[in-house]
Amino acid sequence: MSDIIQLLPDHVANQIAAGEVVQRPASVVKELLENAIDADASEIKLILKEAGKTLVQVIDNGKGMSATDARLSFERHATSKIKSAEDLFQLNTKGFRGEALASIAAIAHVELKTKQENDELGTSILIEGSTVKSQDVTVTPKGTSVSVKNLFFNIPARRNFLKSNTVELRHVTDEFHRVSLAHPNIGFSMYHNGSEMFSLQASNYRQRVVNIFGTKTNEKLVPVEEVTEVLTVSGFVGKPEFSKKTKSEQFFFVNNRFVKSPYLNHAINAAYDGLLKDGYHPSYFLNLTVNPKTIDINIHPTKTEIKFDDEHTLYAILRSSVKHSLGQFNIAPVLDFNSDANLDTPYNYKDKASQTPTIEVNSTFNPFAGEQRTPSYSDSHNRPIYSKTPPANWEGLYVGLESKSNASQRDFSELIFETEAKTSSIFKSDAVTQRKTTYQLRQKYVVSTIKSGMLIIDQNRAHQRILYENLLEQLTSKEATTQQLLFPLQLSFSNSDLEIVKQLKSDLEYAGFVFSEVDNEQLTITGIPVGVPESEVSIVLEQLISDVENDVPDQNFSASDLLAKSMAKSLAIKTGQTLNEEEQEHIVNSLFACKEPSVSPTNKTTFITLSVEDIEKKFM
């Protein structure tokens, strides 16, 4: 039998490795930004076209590379970050594998321009699919510029799996946030299709958080500081009242590297125990500094997973640090059932001596006295004391009451009624009474009778289906009715959230919203759809943003469908809401007038039926 095992060609091996390192344009952005940081750059610029599918370019003012290093950087396992295996446990750089540029060059057109500070000319290298097309001398400023064009040009199947530009841009923005938050001392800027999305100057950590997520974020932050021998914690957590339905504002950085750790996230949630509403998540931006020898980040190619030597100790320190900060800044409520607030001494009276109060009794006081009162200033503190003159013969007010009560009883007994009241039997009724056909069970289900037995409807899911079909019809016909607001409604959102609103602006206007301004972290609304309370507009928009972030729709998704689902979820009657008989009947009738009454917009069952036979079996 002949030998069948053979070495793969380099270009095939590179494409296989690229499948692990480069998953989408955001992966390219992450690797290039981290390389720029390792090059000691102080200004980094990110330029995108079509969410990175056509172009991802990163320009930095770092130390640059020589001609030899520039060529060698595209070889697999070529790196300047480590030299031995022991260096993996003393990492102070972002990269160390030496696979990023080789993997990117295997599936894209890459152009590299670099120059060191003391060189007069730089180096330009052009690579297509791991093949070096040219290497020339060029004029370029100090630093490095890497342009990645036509991502996955030689792997059409992978390119077809990419999502829409909206979704891919959101993933790129997330990576940009993670890198820029980890290094507030570096200036970052981001451009997409020629328009500036972010311009972040070098600043402190709090200013970096505010510059990314909006000026309103400043009032939401609570500082966290804790220094121990094992762990140093610094950063900010959000106040409980500003918690969000999504986890978009949750960031852990270990030694200036973004990581995902469900275990540490549980520690934060434990610190917020009892402070958050159900379904809401706290915001946090925390930097953890540990000894590099106690962690291992060489687990996954994305380097977002991490292993700690002693996770239990880190859990306890992190939980107590966050809880201490919430208590120190009076965020967490403190209940003391043994103290009475009425007995607390006011601050202004803490230095005053107590005095025995004087008690004076007015012996001439009479509750039946007239309204004429004359003040006499006989009090030691010169306070008026009112005295009343008792009326003469006040005892006479009670004379004759007994005779009057007897007379009233006699008069009442002598009353003659014109007609006698009719008392009808419970078995024979001449009046026609309307029979009740619907009932509400535990403020969650609407129960109704049908010919074959019993119908049980989930009121929340049923109302979602009703609202969904009505809203979808309005959006597709573009004939929604708008209710003009007397005073414009102003809402604040982060730049990333505003981008989502801008993308869905036309569909929101078809639904009945009217916007006068959508810019500078401010959303001004002058008209809302009929049926949407003004107090719930912010809830509807936050739910819509949350759905867009979580559902990750692809190219085939309908913005109208997503908007209808999101608004139906926000406006539907909730579990626990009491419905009168008319509202119950409206739910039943409207549900079965829908095209798909059996399922909610999220494909969950809206009602079940119990036949008479099923009920009879329960009594057997």
Side-chain angles (χ1 to χ4, degrees):
M1 184 175 178
S2 60
D3 298 334
I4 60 175
I5 297 178
Q6 59 182 351
L7 289 174
L8 290 174
D10 288 342
H11 69 278
V12 177
N14 287 339
Q15 287 188 8
I16 295 174
E20 295 182 350
V21 178
V22 182
Q23 300 172 356
R24 57 189 349 138
S27 305
V28 178
V29 170
K30 174 181 180 295
E31 298 294 343
L32 296 183
L33 288 178
E34 289 183 347
N35 283 344
I37 292 171
D38 288 338
D40 298 330
S42 60
E43 294 289 337
I44 301 176
K45 182 184 296 184
L46 172 63
I47 301 173
L48 302 168
K49 286 187 179 179
E50 295 185 6
K53 296 177 183 178
T54 302
L55 172 67
V56 175
Q57 184 178 8
V58 173
I59 305 172
D60 68 69
N61 62 348
K63 52 190 177 185
M65 292 181 286
S66 64
T68 304
D69 288 344
R71 176 64 186 85
L72 194 60
S73 64
F74 288 97
E75 298 295 329
R76 291 190 65 196
H77 309 303
T79 179
S80 62
K81 315 299 172 59
I82 62 173
K83 295 182 180 179
S84 63
E86 288 75 16
D87 294 339
L88 290 173
F89 301 98
Q90 298 177 1
L91 289 173
N92 295 312
T93 57
K94 300 293 183 182
F96 55 87
R97 296 176 183 272
E99 291 182 339
L101 287 179
S103 299
I104 294 171
I107 42 88
H109 297 165
V110 180
E111 182 181 5
L112 170 69
K113 293 183 179 181
T114 183
K115 186 179 83 73
Q116 293 180 328
E117 186 175 8
N118 298 326
D119 295 340
E120 294 183 1
L121 297 174
T123 304
S124 174
I125 298 178
L126 185 63
I127 299 180
E128 296 180 2
S130 296
T131 303
V132 179
K133 296 296 183 180
S134 65
Q135 179 173 350
D136 301 315
V137 177
T138 185
V139 176
T140 183
K142 173 208 169 188
T144 303
S145 170
V146 183
S147 300
V148 180
K149 304 176 182 177
N150 304 324
L151 194 64
F152 298 121
F153 79 100
N154 53 356
I155 312 178
R158 286 294 297 270
R159 188 173 181 87
N160 292 334
F161 275 109
L162 294 178
K163 304 295 183 180
S164 63
N165 290 350
T166 303
V167 176
E168 295 299 340
L169 179 61
R170 183 162 51 81
H171 283 287
V172 170
T173 305
D174 289 343
E175 292 294 346
F176 182 81
H177 287 171
R178 294 166 182 175
V179 176
S180 58
L181 280 173
H183 299 275
N185 58 321
I186 300 177
F188 290 88
S189 58
M190 177 176 170
Y191 300 84
H192 181 241
N193 292 340
S195 61
E196 183 182 82
M197 295 186 63
F198 292 96
S199 180
L200 308 175
Q201 303 297 323
S203 60
N204 58 38
Y205 191 52
R206 188 182 192 109
Q207 289 175 334
R208 177 57 55 89
V209 173
V210 171
N211 291 336
I212 292 178
F213 295 99
T215 53
K216 293 290 183 180
T217 311
N218 192 35
E219 62 187 70
K220 307 176 185 178
L221 301 179
V222 178
V224 178
E225 289 288 341
E226 192 70 38
V227 179
T228 65
E229 296 180 357
V230 180
L231 171 69
T232 299
V233 183
S234 64
F236 302 93
V237 295
K239 296 179 181 178
E241 59 266 28
F242 297 106
S243 58
K244 304 184 69 175
K245 290 187 176 181
T246 64
K247 298 181 180 180
S248 59
E249 293 184 1
Q250 295 185 345
F251 296 89
F252 272 126
F253 301 100
V254 177
N255 295 352
N256 294 329
R257 182 191 303 275
F258 173 80
V259 298
K260 296 178 181 178
S261 177
Y263 187 70
L264 295 182
N265 180 69
H266 189 273
I268 303 296
N269 291 331
Y272 278 88
D273 188 23
L275 299 177
L276 299 178
K277 295 184 289 185
D278 188 28
Y280 283 77
H281 306 280
S283 301
Y284 55 80
F285 313 88
L286 295 176
N287 296 298
L288 311 181
T289 304
V290 298
N291 189 341
K293 296 181 179 180
T294 63
I295 60 175
D296 183 11
I297 58 177
N298 190 24
I299 299 173
H300 193 272
T302 59
K303 310 184 192 77
T304 56
E305 297 182 16
I306 193 168
K307 291 292 184 183
F308 298 94
D309 280 353
D310 190 359
E311 286 187 330
H312 298 288
T313 302
L314 298 182
Y315 183 99
I317 295 175
L318 187 60
R319 177 179 176 272
S320 60
S321 300
V322 174
K323 204 158 190 174
H324 173 71
S325 294
L326 293 176
Q328 182 180 9
F329 291 91
N330 296 326
I331 304 301
V334 179
L335 297 178
D336 187 358
F337 296 98
N338 297 323
S339 65
D340 187 354
N342 296 325
L343 301 179
D344 294 341
T345 303
Y347 183 79
N348 296 332
Y349 289 83
K350 67 183 182 67
D351 296 328
K352 292 185 178 181
S354 59
Q355 298 179 356
T356 304
T358 58
I359 301 176
E360 298 179 1
V361 179
N362 186 0
S363 58
T364 61
F365 174 74
N366 185 359
F368 303 102
E371 294 299 327
Q372 296 180 357
R373 299 187 297 174
T374 56
S376 59
Y377 298 91
S378 61
D379 192 2
S380 60
H381 296 283
N382 199 27
R383 291 179 301 201
I385 298 179
Y386 291 90
S387 61
K388 299 180 181 180
T389 304
N393 300 327
W394 61 270
E395 298 88 348
L397 295 173
Y398 297 98
V399 177
L401 288 180
E402 182 179 1
S403 60
K404 290 181 181 180
S405 62
N406 294 335
S408 62
Q409 292 178 1
R410 290 196 305 270
D411 295 341
F412 183 78
S413 62
E414 294 176 359
L415 290 176
I416 300 176
F417 295 94
E418 295 182 358
T419 57
E420 294 291 335
K422 293 184 178 181
T423 57
S424 58
S425 172
I426 61 174
F427 300 103
K428 295 180 181 180
S429 176
D430 297 334
V432 178
T433 58
Q434 186 176 2
R435 185 175 60 181
K436 188 174 182 180
T437 58
T438 59
Y439 302 88
Q440 191 177 22
L441 178 63
R442 291 187 175 272
Q443 296 180 331
K444 182 177 182 180
Y445 303 103
V446 176
V447 182
S448 180
T449 57
I450 54 177
K451 187 175 181 180
S452 60
M454 182 182 297
L455 180 71
I456 303 176
I457 301 174
D458 187 304
Q459 64 184 35
N460 176 260
R461 296 179 183 177
H463 200 210
Q464 282 190 41
R465 165 55 62 176
I466 297 167
L467 292 175
Y468 168 72
E469 294 199 0
N470 291 337
L471 289 167
L472 194 59
E473 183 179 356
Q474 292 178 4
L475 290 170
T476 52
S477 63
K478 303 177 182 179
E479 295 180 354
T481 306
T482 300
Q483 175 184 351
Q484 294 295 325
L485 297 176
L486 183 61
F487 300 101
L489 183 63
Q490 292 185 342
L491 303 175
S492 297
F493 291 97
S494 63
N495 290 327
S496 57
D497 290 345
L498 272 185
E499 285 298 320
I500 296 176
V501 175
K502 289 179 181 178
Q503 294 159 11
L504 300 174
K505 182 180 177 182
S506 58
D507 294 282
L508 287 169
E509 289 174 345
Y510 293 147
F513 286 95
V514 179
F515 302 98
S516 63
E517 182 182 358
V518 187
D519 201 8
N520 295 329
E521 304 173 4
Q522 197 79 17
L523 186 66
T524 305
I525 302 174
T526 57
I528 58 177
V530 174
V532 178
E534 184 177 348
S535 59
E536 296 190 9
V537 172
S538 60
I539 299 176
V540 171
L541 293 178
E542 287 176 1
Q543 182 67 55
L544 175 62
I545 294 171
S546 172
D547 291 339
V548 172
E549 290 179 345
N550 291 335
D551 291 348
V552 192
D554 55 15
Q555 297 98 323
N556 299 323
F557 98 106
S558 169
S560 301
D561 182 76
L562 180 64
L563 178 58
K565 285 182 180 178
S566 180
M567 291 182 63
K569 187 192 304 182
S570 303
L571 300 175
I573 54 177
K574 303 298 185 289
T575 298
Q577 184 173 342
T578 304
L579 305 178
N580 57 37
E581 187 175 352
E582 184 179 355
E583 292 171 336
Q584 297 170 20
E585 292 180 355
H586 174 75
I587 291 290
V588 176
N589 297 333
S590 300
L591 176 63
F592 290 98
C594 295
K595 297 178 181 179
E596 294 288 342
S598 58
V599 293
S600 68
T602 54
N603 292 324
K604 294 182 179 179
T605 303
T606 57
F607 69 88
I608 60 172
T609 57
L610 291 177
S611 63
V612 177
E613 291 77 10
D614 294 335
I615 299 175
E616 288 177 347
K617 290 179 182 178
K618 300 293 182 182
F619 292 93
M620 295 180 64

